[in-house]
Amino acid sequence: MSSPPVEPDAVNPDQTLRRSFVFLLIGLQVLLAAVVIAGTLQYASMMRNNALNERLNHVVRNVQGVEEHLTQTFYLVGLTLANLEELSGYRPGQAARQTQARLEQIQRQMPVLRSLSLANRQGRIVASSVAANLGRKLDLSVLLPQVPVEQAGLLRFGLPWEGRDFADGRPTQPAAPADLRSMGFIPLALTLPGDSGLVAVAAVNADFFLNRIVGNFDRELLNVSVLDYNGILLLSNEDDLAPGARPVEPTLLEHIKQEEIGQQRTTQMHGSEALLAYRAS
């Protein structure tokens, strides 16, 4: 006697519906998590960009302040040099001590200066506020902008020097920058008009600018460097940058020279992101 065939279990509609609902709920949770994560990341990215832009604007304002201070100070030094022959009362053959006293008086009124001197067009110092500078010969051909020494009335800048003044200093160069532990100064020169054949020379105290930079800026957040047109470092508040070196990559330097005023995000040598602002003085 045979048994009746066994019917397969019928599909329970309630179970199918519950499974579908569970899968749908899990899918919605994943979607919600993805939306929340994406939204959080987008918000974090927006906040970071806003913070970076605000920081960049802060850097731009500070760079503008430094540039204006440099420009105003060098303008005053240039005015002094342009009138130095008259102000010092220098005359060929005059006692050096008499001229030195007048130059000292002018220098004391300008804390940015280490010394004021008069040189002939061969670069030999013939009068100075610092007696030890007398007779020191300067190379006027390396000053920027490079024009004939006979061209009068143009303020020119030299390579930064290591030392306190011309008497005990030496000009730096990229292959031999200044000792980081030494004092330094920046030479400025201006050929005087007329037949005197004199060049007015100033030794500008780099610490005058650095003290202002260090006093106003947090070095952990903002580093300031001043370069000449060839990318030679004149001064910086960074301890590992030596005056006389070329710290800026040539492509970036050319970009800065062409734009003269600008800002950008850049990557430093060790890979961290930095905010860069620059202005020509």
Side-chain angles (χ1 to χ4, degrees), residues 210-271:
L210 287 175
N211 289 338
R212 184 178 188 277
I213 292 171
V214 170
N216 292 341
F217 305 136
D218 184 348
R219 191 169 56 184
E220 295 297 321
L221 299 176
L222 186 66
N223 291 315
V224 178
S225 297
V226 179
L227 312 173
D228 72 6
Y229 193 74
N230 289 331
I232 301 296
L233 182 69
L234 300 180
L235 58 94
S236 176
N237 67 333
E238 294 193 62
D239 291 335
D240 58 347
L241 292 183
R246 277 197 176 100
V248 176
E249 194 268 333
T251 303
L252 177 58
L253 177 63
E254 287 304 313
H255 175 76
I256 292 174
K257 287 161 66 173
Q258 290 176 9
E259 297 295 327
E260 294 192 343
I261 298 177
Q263 63 274 337
Q264 66 185 68
R265 297 180 191 177
T266 186
T267 302
Q268 296 179 307
M269 293 181 64
H270 47 73

Side-chain angles (χ1 to χ4, degrees), residues 77 80 106-107 110-116 202-205 208:
V77 173
T80 302
I106 301 168
Q107 180 198 335
M110 303 182 69
V112 68
L113 298 179
R114 290 263 177 82
S115 67
L116 281 169
V204 174
N205 180 9
F208 175 82

Side-chain angles (χ1 to χ4, degrees), residues 8-84:
D9 292 338
V11 177
N12 190 325
D14 291 337
Q15 284 185 333
T16 303
L17 182 60
R18 281 198 298 272
R19 281 199 299 268
S20 300
F21 180 74
V22 170
F23 293 150
L24 176 62
L25 182 59
I26 292 174
L28 288 175
Q29 288 175 338
V30 171
L31 178 62
L32 179 61
V35 170
V36 170
I37 292 172
T40 302
L41 292 176
Q42 184 177 9
Y43 178 74
S45 177
M46 182 182 68
M47 293 296 292
R48 179 176 181 274
N49 286 332
N50 289 342
L52 286 173
N53 288 334
E54 182 179 348
R55 186 63 190 165
L56 185 56
N57 290 334
H58 175 71
V59 171
V60 169
R61 289 193 298 271
N62 280 301
V63 166
Q64 183 177 358
V66 172
E67 183 271 325
E68 289 175 351
H69 179 60
L70 285 169
T71 299
Q72 292 170 4
T73 303
F74 287 140
Y75 175 73
L76 291 175
V77 173
L79 283 179
T80 302
L81 293 180
N83 295 280
L84 196 58

